[in-house]
Amino acid sequence: MSYEAFVSGTGGFTPERVLTNADFERMVDTSDEWITTRTGIKRRHVVDPGMATSEMSEYASRLAMEEAGIGPEDIGMILVGTVTPDMALPSTAALLQERLGAYNAGVSDMAAACAGFLYGLATARAFVGVGQYEHVLAVGAETLTSITNYKDRNTCVLFGDGAGAAIVSRGKGKGKILSACLRGDGRQWADLQIPAGGSLREMEPSDLNNGRRCISMNGREVFRHAVRGMTESARVALRDAGLAQEDVNLFIPHQANVRIMNAVAERLGLTEDRVFNNIEEYGNTSSASVPIGLYEAHRDGRIRPGDTVLLSAFGAGFCWGSIVIQY
Ligand code: ACO
């Protein structure tokens, strides 16, 4: 049996506190000019001590549930895409379940880095499609400040905190999920990693200060593969949806670097007015960036009935993907 899966509600949350490029000029050898021209980022929202991924997920999820018109008891599965869980054990999905009181749900985190929300949304669509659940909550949420090395100018200027969420529902909702293309290439794992703190290399006292517990990245390789991966998966997802590049009304790419976003848009033949862009305000929030974008696009009336929306993301693994939604 197969059912149509719809996005029936979206939500987003970012903390109030802001780190500006001027703040980074005081922390590392950088400039507003370098950060703006190389990344498009001006500000990032960051948590105050005590706030973690599950709390931001809760605020985003409540907005999504309200829009979908469902209560916590209606959720059949909670999937949280994150590389910054509140703790290694249990999953952030379990902690979110308690916060929401969604005790009829299964719970699991999705380990797909910046593509975590897309993997969650595609999995939600599959669960709903086979008739297993009526409503699935897919979340992308990150406290990247907890894994950022504020002595490394190559990475620290990029990242911010935030959460986004979507309810995927059987048979009714605002946007029908038409297709999903998920890909990976484990050969590139070393280009984007947190070296210490896993079972391969346990955390040592010196790791607290040497940056090994934080994101380490080969920026140029990530850039190159991100452009290729997002473009190719977008083409496959559009083809599988029976659509063409010119049918896309709004492209919501992972907000990693404005130059990556523009390069992908150019290859897809999408003009700037069809590309969602909030990187200036939030920086790279990893798995949270696409669902926050989807939420803000809904909230600000940038998605109209009949529109085709293309989501695309790329992250550590490498893993990446694209999803097409018809409103
Ligand atoms: N301020 C000033 N100079 C800097 C800074 C900084 N913040 N960071 C790097 N530089 C310097 C470098 O040291 C280098 O100097 P050098 O030539 O003397 O060695 C110079 O700027 C150029 O460095 P490049 O790496 O060539 O700069 P590039 O144009 O590639 O931009 C960037 C770097 C922004 C990191 C880019 O490669 C990028 O965005 N890559 C993708 C990153 C990404 O998307 N990551 C997402 C995954 S994160 C996740 O999954 C959680």
Side-chain angles (χ1 to χ4, degrees), residues 11-209:
F13 173 84
T14 50
E16 271 180 29
R17 190 155 70 93
V18 165
L19 278 180
T20 65
N21 290 350
D23 292 324
F24 282 95
E25 285 175 344
R26 288 187 284 274
M27 291 157 69
V28 289
D29 179 15
T30 192
S31 65
D32 174 47
E33 199 267 334
W34 192 96
I35 301 171
T36 306
T37 54
R38 296 296 183 107
T39 72
I41 300 167
K42 287 278 189 192
R43 289 170 292 279
R44 324 94 190 111
H45 291 238
V46 297
V47 294
D48 282 315
M51 182 179 279
T53 301
S54 68
E55 184 176 347
M56 292 190 285
S57 302
E58 177 194 348
Y59 302 146
S61 300
R62 287 195 185 280
L63 288 174
M65 288 158 58
E66 192 182 324
E67 191 191 348
I70 64 166
E73 66 285 354
D74 299 317
I75 298 171
M77 174 62 76
I78 300 173
L79 300 169
V80 179
T82 188
V83 294
T84 49
D86 287 24
M87 51 187 86
L89 203 72
S91 67
T92 301
L95 301 173
L96 177 59
Q97 176 183 46
E98 189 199 23
R99 285 177 168 277
L100 296 173
Y103 299 119
N104 293 326
V107 288
S108 180
D109 286 357
M110 306 293 295
C114 298
F117 175 74
L118 268 84
Y119 271 66
L121 194 62
T123 306
R125 171 187 181 234
F127 273 136
V128 167
V130 297
Q132 185 156 356
Y133 301 116
E134 196 173 346
H135 303 285
V136 176
L137 168 61
V139 175
E142 304 287 4
T143 314
L144 290 182
T145 47
S146 68
I147 54 168
T148 296
N149 178 1
Y150 285 99
K151 292 179 192 152
D152 175 17
R153 69 175 184 171
N154 290 297
T155 55
C156 71
V157 300
L158 303 174
F159 302 123
D161 301 331
I167 300 288
V168 177
S169 300
R170 185 198 300 166
K172 58 179 190 297
K174 294 195 167 125
K176 192 198 311 184
I177 303 175
L178 295 184
S179 63
C181 170
L182 304 177
R183 294 274 193 267
D185 186 350
R187 289 170 297 187
Q188 306 291 142
W189 68 269
D191 285 328
L192 190 46
Q193 55 167 306
I194 298 176
S199 56
L200 180 65
R201 190 186 186 287
E202 284 181 22
M203 191 100 73
E204 290 165 10
S206 60
D207 291 331
L208 283 176
N209 295 312

Side-chain angles (χ1 to χ4, degrees), residues 255-274:
Q255 312 281 305
N257 181 320
V258 75
R259 291 186 294 140
I260 295 177
M261 293 152 57
N262 289 343
V264 176
E266 194 187 319
R267 282 161 176 74
L268 294 173
L270 300 172
T271 46
E272 209 176 307
D273 57 308
R274 287 192 280 168

